[in-house]
Amino acid sequence: MCAVWDSGLHGKGQRVKAPSECSKWVVNSVSLSRDLPVFPGFFEIIRVFEHKNNVLFTGDTLMGKGFFSGIPQYTDPVAYIKSMEKLKKLSPDVVYSCHNEPLDGKILASKAQEGIDTVESIENWVETYLKDKSSDTDLSLRNLVAFVCEKQGKSVGGGACVSVMSHIRRLKLKYPIVEKIIHTHEEE
């Protein structure tokens, strides 16, 4: 919906830019300030809670078990869970998220909890897979993502790779064999 451009989210020259016609309507009709809620974990993109009409615009933040046939995409599982906890505390009348019809605000907390449960489940499947690996020679991102997606009942896609990589980075101290995957897929 709304993206932060130029000096970044936490910079002094922060400004909001609407990348689409629909988003321009939202940005132009909502009073925006530096107090906008930020829900990290997916990407640091601003979400808008419009108090006057009690409407929440979540963009891609609120994914529950995932969109379409894939798992949720996030870049930091811990931050994503914290974001879902923030969402659970809100009580809008309507929630507008990407890739879904508008949701009744009454189901926001359960949808956010569904996201938390999904992240925790993915982490458990990543750990299960890594526990069975004795060396990095039989370890690949492709096989790990396929394993996680199969266990989640979802299709393999780019979002799954991003999410599984976020768990691998988080678990690298516990499972040093993942360093090869990290090095291979995060070379500069």
Side-chain angles (χ1 to χ4, degrees):
M1 293 242 308
C2 302
V4 176
W5 298 85
D6 291 344
S7 62
L9 186 60
H10 304 290
K12 293 182 186 208
Q14 178 186 30
R15 68 186 178 98
V16 175
K17 181 177 182 181
S20 72
E21 288 302 315
C22 178
S23 294
K24 285 178 188 171
W25 179 84
V26 171
V27 169
N28 291 333
S29 67
V30 178
S31 174
L32 299 178
S33 72
R34 290 177 100 35
D35 298 327
L36 286 171
V38 175
F39 299 102
F42 172 63
F43 294 108
E44 281 196 357
I45 298 174
I46 294 172
R47 310 303 174 225
V48 177
F49 187 67
E50 202 272 305
H51 295 279
K52 181 180 173 189
N53 294 304
N54 203 27
V55 173
L56 176 65
F57 298 89
T58 66
D60 277 338
T61 299
L62 188 64
M63 295 180 275
K65 294 179 183 177
F67 293 132
F68 311 116
S69 63
I71 65 173
Q73 179 178 333
Y74 46 86
T75 57
D76 182 342
V78 174
Y80 186 76
I81 288 173
K82 287 178 182 175
S83 292
M84 293 301 100
E85 293 293 349
K86 283 183 186 179
L87 286 176
K88 286 170 52 176
K89 294 175 185 173
L90 299 175
S91 49
D93 292 330
V94 180
V95 178
Y96 293 95
S97 67
C98 293
H99 315 293
N100 290 309
E101 293 295 319
L103 304 170
D104 184 325
K106 293 175 187 158
I107 68 165
L108 175 61
S110 64
K111 191 81 165 165
Q113 185 60 50
E114 193 176 81
I116 292 169
D117 295 343
T118 300
V119 170
E120 291 172 346
S121 175
I122 291 169
E123 177 115 352
N124 288 333
W125 288 122
V126 169
E127 284 206 72
T128 298
Y129 185 88
L130 294 175
K131 285 177 190 172
D132 292 339
K133 300 298 171 193
S134 56
S135 73
D136 65 3
T137 56
D138 62 342
L139 183 64
S140 74
L141 181 60
R142 169 187 255 171
N143 293 339
L144 176 52
V145 170
F147 174 81
V148 169
C149 288
E150 178 185 331
K151 296 299 184 182
Q152 292 294 117
K154 299 288 188 170
S155 299
V156 173
C161 294
V162 170
S163 297
V164 169
M165 277 298 293
S166 71
H167 288 280
I168 290 172
R169 284 191 301 277
R170 199 175 110 59
L171 295 168
K172 71 181 177 184
L173 294 177
K174 189 172 181 180
Y175 300 98
I177 62 170
V178 301
E179 285 294 338
K180 179 181 174 185
I181 291 177
I182 293 170
H183 179 74
T184 301
H185 295 282
E186 293 187 349
E187 287 182 349
E188 295 185 27

PDB file of all heavy atoms in Angstrom, residues 86-123:
ATOM      1  N   LYS A  86       0.834  -7.103  18.006  1.00  0.00           N
ATOM      2  CA  LYS A  86       0.313  -5.725  17.942  1.00  0.00           C
ATOM      3  C   LYS A  86      -1.060  -5.702  17.276  1.00  0.00           C
ATOM      4  O   LYS A  86      -1.968  -5.018  17.741  1.00  0.00           O
ATOM      5  CB  LYS A  86       1.256  -4.835  17.124  1.00  0.00           C
ATOM      6  CG  LYS A  86       2.502  -4.397  17.806  1.00  0.00           C
ATOM      7  CD  LYS A  86       3.253  -3.467  16.854  1.00  0.00           C
ATOM      8  CE  LYS A  86       4.600  -3.074  17.364  1.00  0.00           C
ATOM      9  NZ  LYS A  86       5.299  -2.184  16.401  1.00  0.00           N
ATOM     10  N   LEU A  87      -1.179  -6.432  16.183  1.00  0.00           N
ATOM     11  CA  LEU A  87      -2.456  -6.452  15.463  1.00  0.00           C
ATOM     12  C   LEU A  87      -3.574  -7.023  16.328  1.00  0.00           C
ATOM     13  O   LEU A  87      -4.713  -6.560  16.259  1.00  0.00           O
ATOM     14  CB  LEU A  87      -2.340  -7.263  14.170  1.00  0.00           C
ATOM     15  CG  LEU A  87      -1.583  -6.612  13.020  1.00  0.00           C
ATOM     16  CD1 LEU A  87      -1.471  -7.574  11.846  1.00  0.00           C
ATOM     17  CD2 LEU A  87      -2.257  -5.319  12.589  1.00  0.00           C
ATOM     18  N   LYS A  88      -3.253  -8.019  17.139  1.00  0.00           N
ATOM     19  CA  LYS A  88      -4.269  -8.644  17.991  1.00  0.00           C
ATOM     20  C   LYS A  88      -4.873  -7.648  18.979  1.00  0.00           C
ATOM     21  O   LYS A  88      -5.992  -7.832  19.426  1.00  0.00           O
ATOM     22  CB  LYS A  88      -3.671  -9.834  18.744  1.00  0.00           C
ATOM     23  CG  LYS A  88      -3.448 -11.043  17.863  1.00  0.00           C
ATOM     24  CD  LYS A  88      -2.643 -12.145  18.509  1.00  0.00           C
ATOM     25  CE  LYS A  88      -3.107 -12.611  19.837  1.00  0.00           C
ATOM     26  NZ  LYS A  88      -2.331 -13.743  20.364  1.00  0.00           N
ATOM     27  N   LYS A  89      -4.149  -6.594  19.299  1.00  0.00           N
ATOM     28  CA  LYS A  89      -4.626  -5.609  20.271  1.00  0.00           C
ATOM     29  C   LYS A  89      -5.537  -4.556  19.644  1.00  0.00           C
ATOM     30  O   LYS A  89      -6.172  -3.789  20.361  1.00  0.00           O
ATOM     31  CB  LYS A  89      -3.432  -4.935  20.940  1.00  0.00           C
ATOM     32  CG  LYS A  89      -2.621  -5.882  21.795  1.00  0.00           C
ATOM     33  CD  LYS A  89      -1.394  -5.210  22.346  1.00  0.00           C
ATOM     34  CE  LYS A  89      -0.542  -6.233  23.090  1.00  0.00           C
ATOM     35  NZ  LYS A  89       0.733  -5.653  23.501  1.00  0.00           N
ATOM     36  N   LEU A  90      -5.577  -4.504  18.316  1.00  0.00           N
ATOM     37  CA  LEU A  90      -6.423  -3.528  17.639  1.00  0.00           C
ATOM     38  C   LEU A  90      -7.837  -4.077  17.476  1.00  0.00           C
ATOM     39  O   LEU A  90      -8.036  -5.287  17.438  1.00  0.00           O
ATOM     40  CB  LEU A  90      -5.839  -3.193  16.260  1.00  0.00           C
ATOM     41  CG  LEU A  90      -4.439  -2.580  16.251  1.00  0.00           C
ATOM     42  CD1 LEU A  90      -3.950  -2.412  14.819  1.00  0.00           C
ATOM     43  CD2 LEU A  90      -4.429  -1.251  16.987  1.00  0.00           C
ATOM     44  N   SER A  91      -8.793  -3.182  17.385  1.00  0.00           N
ATOM     45  CA  SER A  91     -10.169  -3.643  17.176  1.00  0.00           C
ATOM     46  C   SER A  91     -10.879  -2.771  16.134  1.00  0.00           C
ATOM     47  O   SER A  91     -11.815  -2.036  16.460  1.00  0.00           O
ATOM     48  CB  SER A  91     -10.934  -3.676  18.491  1.00  0.00           C
ATOM     49  OG  SER A  91     -10.788  -2.470  19.186  1.00  0.00           O
ATOM     50  N   PRO A  92     -10.438  -2.886  14.890  1.00  0.00           N
ATOM     51  CA  PRO A  92     -11.098  -2.123  13.831  1.00  0.00           C
ATOM     52  C   PRO A  92     -12.436  -2.758  13.460  1.00  0.00           C
ATOM     53  O   PRO A  92     -12.701  -3.917  13.773  1.00  0.00           O
ATOM     54  CB  PRO A  92     -10.113  -2.240  12.664  1.00  0.00           C
ATOM     55  CG  PRO A  92      -9.471  -3.566  12.874  1.00  0.00           C
ATOM     56  CD  PRO A  92      -9.355  -3.713  14.373  1.00  0.00           C
ATOM     57  N   ASP A  93     -13.245  -1.995  12.769  1.00  0.00           N
ATOM     58  CA  ASP A  93     -14.496  -2.537  12.243  1.00  0.00           C
ATOM     59  C   ASP A  93     -14.234  -3.358  10.980  1.00  0.00           C
ATOM     60  O   ASP A  93     -14.881  -4.371  10.747  1.00  0.00           O
ATOM     61  CB  ASP A  93     -15.484  -1.413  11.915  1.00  0.00           C
ATOM     62  CG  ASP A  93     -15.978  -0.697  13.164  1.00  0.00           C
ATOM     63  OD1 ASP A  93     -16.052  -1.339  14.231  1.00  0.00           O
ATOM     64  OD2 ASP A  93     -16.282   0.507  13.077  1.00  0.00           O
ATOM     65  N   VAL A  94     -13.291  -2.869  10.159  1.00  0.00           N
ATOM     66  CA  VAL A  94     -12.976  -3.519   8.887  1.00  0.00           C
ATOM     67  C   VAL A  94     -11.465  -3.570   8.717  1.00  0.00           C
ATOM     68  O   VAL A  94     -10.762  -2.636   9.111  1.00  0.00           O
ATOM     69  CB  VAL A  94     -13.590  -2.754   7.690  1.00  0.00           C
ATOM     70  CG1 VAL A  94     -13.265  -3.442   6.368  1.00  0.00           C
ATOM     71  CG2 VAL A  94     -15.090  -2.605   7.849  1.00  0.00           C
ATOM     72  N   VAL A  95     -10.976  -4.665   8.127  1.00  0.00           N
ATOM     73  CA  VAL A  95      -9.553  -4.818   7.813  1.00  0.00           C
ATOM     74  C   VAL A  95      -9.414  -5.025   6.311  1.00  0.00           C
ATOM     75  O   VAL A  95     -10.040  -5.914   5.740  1.00  0.00           O
ATOM     76  CB  VAL A  95      -8.940  -6.040   8.550  1.00  0.00           C
ATOM     77  CG1 VAL A  95      -7.472  -6.207   8.173  1.00  0.00           C
ATOM     78  CG2 VAL A  95      -9.109  -5.902  10.051  1.00  0.00           C
ATOM     79  N   TYR A  96      -8.602  -4.172   5.697  1.00  0.00           N
ATOM     80  CA  TYR A  96      -8.278  -4.326   4.278  1.00  0.00           C
ATOM     81  C   TYR A  96      -6.849  -4.836   4.189  1.00  0.00           C
ATOM     82  O   TYR A  96      -5.925  -4.201   4.690  1.00  0.00           O
ATOM     83  CB  TYR A  96      -8.397  -2.990   3.535  1.00  0.00           C
ATOM     84  CG  TYR A  96      -9.808  -2.478   3.458  1.00  0.00           C
ATOM     85  CD1 TYR A  96     -10.302  -1.573   4.387  1.00  0.00           C
ATOM     86  CD2 TYR A  96     -10.650  -2.907   2.438  1.00  0.00           C
ATOM     87  CE1 TYR A  96     -11.603  -1.104   4.316  1.00  0.00           C
ATOM     88  CE2 TYR A  96     -11.955  -2.447   2.356  1.00  0.00           C
ATOM     89  CZ  TYR A  96     -12.422  -1.549   3.296  1.00  0.00           C
ATOM     90  OH  TYR A  96     -13.714  -1.093   3.225  1.00  0.00           O
ATOM     91  N   SER A  97      -6.678  -6.006   3.609  1.00  0.00           N
ATOM     92  CA  SER A  97      -5.341  -6.548   3.406  1.00  0.00           C
ATOM     93  C   SER A  97      -5.188  -6.912   1.932  1.00  0.00           C
ATOM     94  O   SER A  97      -6.176  -7.021   1.211  1.00  0.00           O
ATOM     95  CB  SER A  97      -5.115  -7.776   4.292  1.00  0.00           C
ATOM     96  OG  SER A  97      -5.945  -8.832   3.890  1.00  0.00           O
ATOM     97  N   CYS A  98      -3.973  -7.077   1.523  1.00  0.00           N
ATOM     98  CA  CYS A  98      -3.737  -7.449   0.118  1.00  0.00           C
ATOM     99  C   CYS A  98      -4.188  -8.887  -0.119  1.00  0.00           C
ATOM    100  O   CYS A  98      -4.125  -9.717   0.775  1.00  0.00           O
ATOM    101  CB  CYS A  98      -2.266  -7.309  -0.214  1.00  0.00           C
ATOM    102  SG  CYS A  98      -1.709  -5.608  -0.197  1.00  0.00           S
ATOM    103  N   HIS A  99      -4.637  -9.154  -1.300  1.00  0.00           N
ATOM    104  CA  HIS A  99      -4.971 -10.506  -1.754  1.00  0.00           C
ATOM    105  C   HIS A  99      -6.191 -11.110  -1.084  1.00  0.00           C
ATOM    106  O   HIS A  99      -6.418 -12.311  -1.176  1.00  0.00           O
ATOM    107  CB  HIS A  99      -3.777 -11.461  -1.590  1.00  0.00           C
ATOM    108  CG  HIS A  99      -2.480 -10.896  -2.056  1.00  0.00           C
ATOM    109  ND1 HIS A  99      -2.226 -10.623  -3.376  1.00  0.00           N
ATOM    110  CD2 HIS A  99      -1.360 -10.538  -1.377  1.00  0.00           C
ATOM    111  CE1 HIS A  99      -1.006 -10.125  -3.490  1.00  0.00           C
ATOM    112  NE2 HIS A  99      -0.470 -10.063  -2.301  1.00  0.00           N
ATOM    113  N   ASN A 100      -6.962 -10.325  -0.369  1.00  0.00           N
ATOM    114  CA  ASN A 100      -8.173 -10.815   0.297  1.00  0.00           C
ATOM    115  C   ASN A 100      -9.301  -9.813   0.131  1.00  0.00           C
ATOM    116  O   ASN A 100      -9.065  -8.629  -0.069  1.00  0.00           O
ATOM    117  CB  ASN A 100      -7.946 -10.994   1.808  1.00  0.00           C
ATOM    118  CG  ASN A 100      -7.028 -12.127   2.136  1.00  0.00           C
ATOM    119  OD1 ASN A 100      -7.212 -13.228   1.670  1.00  0.00           O
ATOM    120  ND2 ASN A 100      -6.009 -11.838   2.948  1.00  0.00           N
ATOM    121  N   GLU A 101     -10.506 -10.305   0.292  1.00  0.00           N
ATOM    122  CA  GLU A 101     -11.653  -9.410   0.400  1.00  0.00           C
ATOM    123  C   GLU A 101     -11.552  -8.721   1.762  1.00  0.00           C
ATOM    124  O   GLU A 101     -10.899  -9.229   2.670  1.00  0.00           O
ATOM    125  CB  GLU A 101     -12.947 -10.226   0.317  1.00  0.00           C
ATOM    126  CG  GLU A 101     -13.183 -10.868  -1.042  1.00  0.00           C
ATOM    127  CD  GLU A 101     -13.388  -9.836  -2.139  1.00  0.00           C
ATOM    128  OE1 GLU A 101     -14.076  -8.821  -1.896  1.00  0.00           O
ATOM    129  OE2 GLU A 101     -12.844 -10.036  -3.237  1.00  0.00           O
ATOM    130  N   PRO A 102     -12.206  -7.585   1.947  1.00  0.00           N
ATOM    131  CA  PRO A 102     -12.203  -6.941   3.265  1.00  0.00           C
ATOM    132  C   PRO A 102     -12.684  -7.925   4.338  1.00  0.00           C
ATOM    133  O   PRO A 102     -13.581  -8.733   4.101  1.00  0.00           O
ATOM    134  CB  PRO A 102     -13.183  -5.787   3.100  1.00  0.00           C
ATOM    135  CG  PRO A 102     -13.172  -5.490   1.635  1.00  0.00           C
ATOM    136  CD  PRO A 102     -12.966  -6.816   0.962  1.00  0.00           C
ATOM    137  N   LEU A 103     -12.053  -7.848   5.491  1.00  0.00           N
ATOM    138  CA  LEU A 103     -12.373  -8.755   6.593  1.00  0.00           C
ATOM    139  C   LEU A 103     -13.135  -8.013   7.683  1.00  0.00           C
ATOM    140  O   LEU A 103     -12.857  -6.846   7.952  1.00  0.00           O
ATOM    141  CB  LEU A 103     -11.088  -9.314   7.208  1.00  0.00           C
ATOM    142  CG  LEU A 103     -10.106 -10.025   6.292  1.00  0.00           C
ATOM    143  CD1 LEU A 103      -8.800 -10.283   7.024  1.00  0.00           C
ATOM    144  CD2 LEU A 103     -10.711 -11.325   5.804  1.00  0.00           C
ATOM    145  N   ASP A 104     -14.032  -8.698   8.328  1.00  0.00           N
ATOM    146  CA  ASP A 104     -14.700  -8.166   9.503  1.00  0.00           C
ATOM    147  C   ASP A 104     -13.629  -8.014  10.584  1.00  0.00           C
ATOM    148  O   ASP A 104     -12.875  -8.947  10.858  1.00  0.00           O
ATOM    149  CB  ASP A 104     -15.783  -9.145   9.963  1.00  0.00           C
ATOM    150  CG  ASP A 104     -16.604  -8.626  11.121  1.00  0.00           C
ATOM    151  OD1 ASP A 104     -16.047  -7.913  11.989  1.00  0.00           O
ATOM    152  OD2 ASP A 104     -17.792  -8.941  11.167  1.00  0.00           O
ATOM    153  N   GLY A 105     -13.545  -6.845  11.191  1.00  0.00           N
ATOM    154  CA  GLY A 105     -12.529  -6.583  12.206  1.00  0.00           C
ATOM    155  C   GLY A 105     -12.564  -7.550  13.377  1.00  0.00           C
ATOM    156  O   GLY A 105     -11.567  -7.727  14.069  1.00  0.00           O
ATOM    157  N   LYS A 106     -13.708  -8.196  13.593  1.00  0.00           N
ATOM    158  CA  LYS A 106     -13.833  -9.145  14.704  1.00  0.00           C
ATOM    159  C   LYS A 106     -12.928 -10.360  14.543  1.00  0.00           C
ATOM    160  O   LYS A 106     -12.632 -11.037  15.521  1.00  0.00           O
ATOM    161  CB  LYS A 106     -15.288  -9.596  14.842  1.00  0.00           C
ATOM    162  CG  LYS A 106     -16.216  -8.492  15.266  1.00  0.00           C
ATOM    163  CD  LYS A 106     -17.651  -8.945  15.269  1.00  0.00           C
ATOM    164  CE  LYS A 106     -18.560  -7.761  15.545  1.00  0.00           C
ATOM    165  NZ  LYS A 106     -19.904  -7.964  15.074  1.00  0.00           N
ATOM    166  N   ILE A 107     -12.499 -10.646  13.318  1.00  0.00           N
ATOM    167  CA  ILE A 107     -11.642 -11.821  13.131  1.00  0.00           C
ATOM    168  C   ILE A 107     -10.148 -11.472  13.069  1.00  0.00           C
ATOM    169  O   ILE A 107      -9.319 -12.344  12.881  1.00  0.00           O
ATOM    170  CB  ILE A 107     -12.042 -12.637  11.881  1.00  0.00           C
ATOM    171  CG1 ILE A 107     -11.747 -11.869  10.598  1.00  0.00           C
ATOM    172  CG2 ILE A 107     -13.483 -13.088  11.958  1.00  0.00           C
ATOM    173  CD1 ILE A 107     -11.792 -12.756   9.371  1.00  0.00           C
ATOM    174  N   LEU A 108      -9.821 -10.186  13.266  1.00  0.00           N
ATOM    175  CA  LEU A 108      -8.424  -9.760  13.205  1.00  0.00           C
ATOM    176  C   LEU A 108      -7.546 -10.540  14.177  1.00  0.00           C
ATOM    177  O   LEU A 108      -6.496 -11.061  13.793  1.00  0.00           O
ATOM    178  CB  LEU A 108      -8.303  -8.257  13.465  1.00  0.00           C
ATOM    179  CG  LEU A 108      -6.881  -7.704  13.543  1.00  0.00           C
ATOM    180  CD1 LEU A 108      -6.132  -7.934  12.227  1.00  0.00           C
ATOM    181  CD2 LEU A 108      -6.900  -6.214  13.896  1.00  0.00           C
ATOM    182  N   ALA A 109      -7.952 -10.641  15.416  1.00  0.00           N
ATOM    183  CA  ALA A 109      -7.128 -11.327  16.421  1.00  0.00           C
ATOM    184  C   ALA A 109      -6.901 -12.788  16.051  1.00  0.00           C
ATOM    185  O   ALA A 109      -5.784 -13.300  16.173  1.00  0.00           O
ATOM    186  CB  ALA A 109      -7.766 -11.217  17.802  1.00  0.00           C
ATOM    187  N   SER A 110      -7.940 -13.469  15.578  1.00  0.00           N
ATOM    188  CA  SER A 110      -7.764 -14.880  15.224  1.00  0.00           C
ATOM    189  C   SER A 110      -6.898 -15.045  13.980  1.00  0.00           C
ATOM    190  O   SER A 110      -6.096 -15.976  13.886  1.00  0.00           O
ATOM    191  CB  SER A 110      -9.113 -15.583  15.043  1.00  0.00           C
ATOM    192  OG  SER A 110      -9.823 -15.033  13.964  1.00  0.00           O
ATOM    193  N   LYS A 111      -7.014 -14.121  13.024  1.00  0.00           N
ATOM    194  CA  LYS A 111      -6.191 -14.167  11.819  1.00  0.00           C
ATOM    195  C   LYS A 111      -4.722 -13.891  12.170  1.00  0.00           C
ATOM    196  O   LYS A 111      -3.807 -14.541  11.653  1.00  0.00           O
ATOM    197  CB  LYS A 111      -6.709 -13.147  10.801  1.00  0.00           C
ATOM    198  CG  LYS A 111      -6.115 -13.269   9.444  1.00  0.00           C
ATOM    199  CD  LYS A 111      -6.774 -14.357   8.647  1.00  0.00           C
ATOM    200  CE  LYS A 111      -6.423 -14.228   7.183  1.00  0.00           C
ATOM    201  NZ  LYS A 111      -6.730 -15.422   6.434  1.00  0.00           N
ATOM    202  N   ALA A 112      -4.484 -12.955  13.077  1.00  0.00           N
ATOM    203  CA  ALA A 112      -3.124 -12.662  13.530  1.00  0.00           C
ATOM    204  C   ALA A 112      -2.554 -13.857  14.290  1.00  0.00           C
ATOM    205  O   ALA A 112      -1.385 -14.229  14.101  1.00  0.00           O
ATOM    206  CB  ALA A 112      -3.114 -11.407  14.397  1.00  0.00           C
ATOM    207  N   GLN A 113      -3.364 -14.499  15.127  1.00  0.00           N
ATOM    208  CA  GLN A 113      -2.901 -15.686  15.852  1.00  0.00           C
ATOM    209  C   GLN A 113      -2.582 -16.814  14.878  1.00  0.00           C
ATOM    210  O   GLN A 113      -1.625 -17.563  15.064  1.00  0.00           O
ATOM    211  CB  GLN A 113      -3.930 -16.145  16.881  1.00  0.00           C
ATOM    212  CG  GLN A 113      -3.457 -17.307  17.741  1.00  0.00           C
ATOM    213  CD  GLN A 113      -2.212 -16.978  18.536  1.00  0.00           C
ATOM    214  OE1 GLN A 113      -2.144 -15.950  19.221  1.00  0.00           O
ATOM    215  NE2 GLN A 113      -1.203 -17.832  18.451  1.00  0.00           N
ATOM    216  N   GLU A 114      -3.376 -16.936  13.833  1.00  0.00           N
ATOM    217  CA  GLU A 114      -3.121 -17.929  12.783  1.00  0.00           C
ATOM    218  C   GLU A 114      -1.731 -17.685  12.173  1.00  0.00           C
ATOM    219  O   GLU A 114      -0.995 -18.629  11.896  1.00  0.00           O
ATOM    220  CB  GLU A 114      -4.205 -17.793  11.722  1.00  0.00           C
ATOM    221  CG  GLU A 114      -4.295 -18.900  10.735  1.00  0.00           C
ATOM    222  CD  GLU A 114      -5.492 -18.669   9.799  1.00  0.00           C
ATOM    223  OE1 GLU A 114      -5.353 -17.878   8.834  1.00  0.00           O
ATOM    224  OE2 GLU A 114      -6.554 -19.273  10.041  1.00  0.00           O
ATOM    225  N   GLY A 115      -1.369 -16.415  11.972  1.00  0.00           N
ATOM    226  CA  GLY A 115      -0.038 -16.073  11.465  1.00  0.00           C
ATOM    227  C   GLY A 115       1.053 -16.487  12.430  1.00  0.00           C
ATOM    228  O   GLY A 115       2.077 -17.053  12.029  1.00  0.00           O
ATOM    229  N   ILE A 116       0.852 -16.232  13.717  1.00  0.00           N
ATOM    230  CA  ILE A 116       1.825 -16.635  14.743  1.00  0.00           C
ATOM    231  C   ILE A 116       1.988 -18.151  14.745  1.00  0.00           C
ATOM    232  O   ILE A 116       3.110 -18.675  14.744  1.00  0.00           O
ATOM    233  CB  ILE A 116       1.381 -16.137  16.136  1.00  0.00           C
ATOM    234  CG1 ILE A 116       1.457 -14.618  16.206  1.00  0.00           C
ATOM    235  CG2 ILE A 116       2.216 -16.788  17.243  1.00  0.00           C
ATOM    236  CD1 ILE A 116       0.793 -14.009  17.426  1.00  0.00           C
ATOM    237  N   ASP A 117       0.869 -18.860  14.740  1.00  0.00           N
ATOM    238  CA  ASP A 117       0.920 -20.329  14.754  1.00  0.00           C
ATOM    239  C   ASP A 117       1.645 -20.864  13.524  1.00  0.00           C
ATOM    240  O   ASP A 117       2.402 -21.842  13.620  1.00  0.00           O
ATOM    241  CB  ASP A 117      -0.494 -20.912  14.811  1.00  0.00           C
ATOM    242  CG  ASP A 117      -1.228 -20.571  16.100  1.00  0.00           C
ATOM    243  OD1 ASP A 117      -0.576 -20.163  17.090  1.00  0.00           O
ATOM    244  OD2 ASP A 117      -2.477 -20.699  16.115  1.00  0.00           O
ATOM    245  N   THR A 118       1.442 -20.233  12.382  1.00  0.00           N
ATOM    246  CA  THR A 118       2.090 -20.667  11.145  1.00  0.00           C
ATOM    247  C   THR A 118       3.596 -20.453  11.220  1.00  0.00           C
ATOM    248  O   THR A 118       4.375 -21.342  10.856  1.00  0.00           O
ATOM    249  CB  THR A 118       1.489 -19.932   9.931  1.00  0.00           C
ATOM    250  OG1 THR A 118       0.093 -20.243   9.863  1.00  0.00           O
ATOM    251  CG2 THR A 118       2.160 -20.347   8.640  1.00  0.00           C
ATOM    252  N   VAL A 119       4.036 -19.294  11.709  1.00  0.00           N
ATOM    253  CA  VAL A 119       5.471 -19.024  11.850  1.00  0.00           C
ATOM    254  C   VAL A 119       6.110 -20.046  12.789  1.00  0.00           C
ATOM    255  O   VAL A 119       7.184 -20.587  12.499  1.00  0.00           O
ATOM    256  CB  VAL A 119       5.720 -17.586  12.351  1.00  0.00           C
ATOM    257  CG1 VAL A 119       7.172 -17.376  12.736  1.00  0.00           C
ATOM    258  CG2 VAL A 119       5.299 -16.579  11.297  1.00  0.00           C
ATOM    259  N   GLU A 120       5.446 -20.316  13.901  1.00  0.00           N
ATOM    260  CA  GLU A 120       5.988 -21.290  14.861  1.00  0.00           C
ATOM    261  C   GLU A 120       6.034 -22.689  14.267  1.00  0.00           C
ATOM    262  O   GLU A 120       6.987 -23.442  14.489  1.00  0.00           O
ATOM    263  CB  GLU A 120       5.170 -21.251  16.155  1.00  0.00           C
ATOM    264  CG  GLU A 120       5.389 -19.954  16.921  1.00  0.00           C
ATOM    265  CD  GLU A 120       4.462 -19.775  18.109  1.00  0.00           C
ATOM    266  OE1 GLU A 120       3.443 -20.520  18.228  1.00  0.00           O
ATOM    267  OE2 GLU A 120       4.735 -18.865  18.920  1.00  0.00           O
ATOM    268  N   SER A 121       5.035 -23.048  13.497  1.00  0.00           N
ATOM    269  CA  SER A 121       5.014 -24.352  12.837  1.00  0.00           C
ATOM    270  C   SER A 121       6.153 -24.470  11.823  1.00  0.00           C
ATOM    271  O   SER A 121       6.845 -25.492  11.767  1.00  0.00           O
ATOM    272  CB  SER A 121       3.663 -24.560  12.149  1.00  0.00           C
ATOM    273  OG  SER A 121       3.646 -25.758  11.420  1.00  0.00           O
ATOM    274  N   ILE A 122       6.362 -23.420  11.047  1.00  0.00           N
ATOM    275  CA  ILE A 122       7.451 -23.433  10.068  1.00  0.00           C
ATOM    276  C   ILE A 122       8.793 -23.581  10.772  1.00  0.00           C
ATOM    277  O   ILE A 122       9.650 -24.364  10.354  1.00  0.00           O
ATOM    278  CB  ILE A 122       7.396 -22.175   9.174  1.00  0.00           C
ATOM    279  CG1 ILE A 122       6.172 -22.248   8.262  1.00  0.00           C
ATOM    280  CG2 ILE A 122       8.686 -22.015   8.363  1.00  0.00           C
ATOM    281  CD1 ILE A 122       5.855 -20.956   7.521  1.00  0.00           C
ATOM    282  N   GLU A 123       8.977 -22.847  11.842  1.00  0.00           N
ATOM    283  CA  GLU A 123      10.240 -22.960  12.608  1.00  0.00           C
ATOM    284  C   GLU A 123      10.431 -24.401  13.098  1.00  0.00           C
ATOM    285  O   GLU A 123      11.534 -24.954  13.015  1.00  0.00           O
ATOM    286  CB  GLU A 123      10.250 -21.999  13.797  1.00  0.00           C
ATOM    287  CG  GLU A 123      11.490 -22.136  14.646  1.00  0.00           C
ATOM    288  CD  GLU A 123      12.368 -20.923  14.644  1.00  0.00           C
ATOM    289  OE1 GLU A 123      12.144 -19.967  13.880  1.00  0.00           O
ATOM    290  OE2 GLU A 123      13.319 -20.923  15.435  1.00  0.00           O
TER     291      GLU A 123
END
